[in-house]
Amino acid sequence: MTAIEEMTWQDAAGDSTHAWMPSSPCGTKCVDRDNMTVGNVAMATRVVGIAGLFLTFPIANAAVPRVWKDEVQQRYARALLRCCGIDVKVIDNRGDTWPGLRYASPGDGAFIVSGHVGWTDILAIAAVQPVSFVARADMTEWPLLGQLAKRMRVIPIDRAKLKALPGVVRQIADRISAGERIVAFPEGTTWCGRAYGSLRPALFQAAIDTATPVQPIALTYRRANGTLTTLSSFVGDDSMVDSLLRILRSDGIVAEIVLQPIEQPGTDRRDLAARCERAVRGEMELDFADHGVLDSAEARNTPKQPDELVARIA
């Protein structure tokens, strides 16, 4: 399983991708080559820690009363991140009236949207408050994360099957109405974190249909000094094994989650997606030129032609 497969899903017949298919120019060339790594002993300790957490989580989750399950799941997500060498920093920009560092009060449905960098996004977002995700249909088959995805009750989406999309939107709407917190990555694919794709509007219809305000998250990975790092990105020809080993070897990564002000749903999903995109990007340092993509909101995923690149550099 490689990250580039996410950008080349084919239709059921396996013939070609459709025009709606999200794509990203990011690849392994975007990934930082960093000297800040841990030794073999520390890496082995992390692997043992991860194995222990995966073995004990089903027991702990089943044993505790329902009222404690959120806290147990949150603690395990944070512990998994620590075993990967990643700390979590949460910043709340929603004002003093919001009840704590969480997406919604217990029992209240919520629709949460974020940019997508890699598989660690799932753990980072769940470390704030347990959630369910809209995720690629084959995620339950992935090593390690597959079992976690099943327990999170992911809503599967196969973007090669456009006819199935309304059903996905209905599932999101039904589960939000039932009081669940649902997270979506509307870019539809991963970007390295130094550039990004447009937030596709389709899934936002669930928020409009249920009159549910949307919680935008600005998610970035940084060093302790605040600079962006792409070590956690899962892009291009990255395999799950390569990505996992790179992260286990890394040191000093901070997943910074900024809870941006709530966006009201309104009646136009394209307008809602555009508003959430502005909120999700926040004050990110972006580098479109090196990624060969247009930096306009209308053509964020469009590859630049060579003459456009030359003109930009000139």
Side-chain angles (χ1 to χ4, degrees), residues 163-179:
K163 291 183 179 179
L165 188 56
V168 174
V169 173
R170 282 194 297 272
Q171 285 188 66
I172 297 171
D174 289 345
R175 289 177 60 173
I176 290 173
S177 297

Side-chain angles (χ1 to χ4, degrees), residues 12 27 45 77 83 95 100-101 108 127 135 153 158 161-162 168 179 192-193 195 205 216 267-268 277 281 292:
T45 302
C83 287
L101 295 178
D108 290 346
R153 298 179 61 234
D158 186 343
K161 298 179 180 178
L162 288 181
V168 174
C192 71
Q205 188 63 43
T267 58
D268 185 335
E277 182 174 330
R281 300 314 162 197

Side-chain angles (χ1 to χ4, degrees), residues 38-48 244-246 248-249:
V38 298
N40 291 334
V41 174
M43 182 176 176
T45 302
R46 289 179 175 182
V47 172
V48 171
L244 179 60
L245 290 176
R246 181 175 65 247
L248 287 174
R249 282 284 188 190

Side-chain angles (χ1 to χ4, degrees), residues 142-184:
W142 287 19
L144 297 180
L145 285 181
Q147 290 301 314
L148 186 61
K150 291 177 183 178
R151 295 187 181 280
M152 285 182 165
R153 298 179 61 234
V154 299
I155 298 174
I157 182 171
D158 186 343
R159 290 181 174 85
K161 298 179 180 178
L162 288 181
K163 291 183 179 179
L165 188 56
V168 174
V169 173
R170 282 194 297 272
Q171 285 188 66
I172 297 171
D174 289 345
R175 289 177 60 173
I176 290 173
S177 297
E180 295 190 42
R181 298 176 291 270
I182 305 297
V183 177

Side-chain angles (χ1 to χ4, degrees), residues 218-300:
L219 171 60
T220 55
Y221 293 89
R222 299 180 180 274
R223 289 299 189 187
N225 62 6
T227 59
L228 282 173
T229 178
T230 59
L231 280 170
S232 297
S233 60
F234 181 52
V235 291
D237 292 322
D238 243 354
S239 70
M240 186 65 187
V241 173
D242 289 341
S243 175
L244 179 60
L245 290 176
R246 181 175 65 247
I247 290 171
L248 287 174
R249 282 284 188 190
S250 65
D251 192 28
I253 298 178
V254 178
E256 183 179 279
I257 297 176
V258 181
L259 304 175
Q260 300 286 39
I262 297 295
E263 293 290 340
Q264 296 302 318
T267 58
D268 185 335
R269 64 175 179 266
R270 291 176 177 80
D271 173 68
L272 177 57
R275 285 187 279 122
C276 287
E277 182 174 330
R278 289 192 292 271
V280 162
R281 300 314 162 197
E283 298 179 358
M284 288 174 60
E285 305 89 346
L286 303 174
D287 190 2
F288 291 110
D290 285 349
H291 289 74
V293 293
L294 299 172
D295 54 7
S296 67
E298 294 76 15
R300 193 66 42 70

Side-chain angles (χ1 to χ4, degrees), residues 175-219:
R175 289 177 60 173
I176 290 173
S177 297
E180 295 190 42
R181 298 176 291 270
I182 305 297
V183 177
F185 301 110
E187 285 171 305
T189 188
T190 52
W191 288 63
C192 71
R194 289 200 173 101
Y196 61 86
S198 295
L199 301 192
R200 305 300 178 98
L203 300 183
F204 287 91
Q205 188 63 43
I208 293 174
D209 291 345
T210 57
T212 301
V214 180
Q215 172 63 73
I217 297 173
L219 171 60

